[in-house]
């Protein structure tokens, strides 16, 4: 009997703990000789660090299809097109700070905590990047011009520390392609 799942599949399908950073050169971090050291250096800049995330983040990239046949009886190959992509990243922040609270309320980076009017529009937002561990090592998910769609909810854990669930929706900054990028460290050449 054949098993449809490879024995190592479970190790490659999990998003572990990570960190959410704003305006970081993800290519520079992931292509460095030591990506973990480059990430640690990027995390030293307090203005870029939004906080650590708990394992169990969910990344979704779903196409919205456009059927160009519009009532024709037999669709032809190439007549179903991708109109746009809905890209979200959800998870739980383990740190509560003015920076990540402003992000979840869609406030400008420099704005003090105030009512969320006017909201940050996608064109003025920085890219956010989640760096974290998967079953096969370090990975980065870069979201272009994300907007928080889940609002802000503070939750206290049994340990007494606060948590904030988040849902970020990415927006496309160019006319083609996805509003996100997935990056893995470059292969070591020996």
């Amino acid at each position: 009997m054949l098993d449809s799942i490879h024995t190592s599949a479970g190790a490659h399908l999990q998003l572990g703990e990570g960190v959410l950073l704003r305006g970081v050169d993800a290519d520079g971090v992931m292509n460095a000789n030591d990506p973990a050291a480059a990430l640690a250096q990027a995390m030293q800049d307090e203005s870029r660090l939004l906080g650590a995330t708990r394992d169990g983040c969910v990344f979704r990239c779903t196409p919205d299809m456009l059927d160009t046949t519009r009532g024709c009886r037999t669709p032809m190959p190439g007549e179903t097109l991708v109109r746009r992509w809905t890209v979200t990243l959800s998870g739980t922040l383990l740190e509560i700070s003015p920076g990540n609270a402003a992000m979840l309320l869609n406030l400008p980076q420099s704005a003090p905590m105030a009512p969320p009017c006017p909201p940050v529009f996608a064109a003025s937002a920085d890219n956010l990047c989640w760096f974290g561990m998967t079953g096969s090592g370090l990975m980065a998910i870069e979201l272009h011009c994300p907007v928080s769609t889940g609002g802000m909810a503070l939750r206290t854990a049994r340990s007494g520390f606060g948590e904030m669930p988040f849902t970020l929706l990415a927006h496309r900054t160019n006319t083609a392609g996805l509003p996100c990028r997935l990056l893995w460290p470059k292969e070591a050449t020996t």
Side-chain angles (χ1 to χ4, degrees), residues 7 10 72 84 105 140 142 188:
T7 55
C72 293
R84 67 177 167 260
L105 292 172
E142 184 180 54

Side-chain angles (χ1 to χ4, degrees), residues 140-181:
I141 299 173
E142 184 180 54
L143 301 176
H144 299 248
C145 298
V147 172
S148 170
T149 60
M152 186 174 95
L154 300 176
R155 182 173 51 208
T156 303
R158 289 181 184 228
S159 61
F161 296 104
E163 297 178 343
M164 286 194 308
F166 66 90
T167 300
L168 301 171
L169 173 68
H171 288 86
R172 193 166 52 187
T173 56
N174 55 16
T175 57
L178 292 170
C180 66
R181 293 190 311 149

Side-chain angles (χ1 to χ4, degrees), residues 2 12 29 33 40-41 46-48 56 60 63-64 67 69 81 83 86 95 105 108 121 129 173 187:
L2 296 174
H12 298 281
V29 170
N33 289 334
Q41 180 67 30
E46 293 282 328
S47 66
R48 297 187 186 280
R60 287 189 174 90
D64 179 17
D67 184 7
T69 59
L81 306 172
R83 181 183 355 209
T86 302
E95 303 171 44
L105 292 172
F121 296 102
C129 199
T173 56
E187 293 293 324

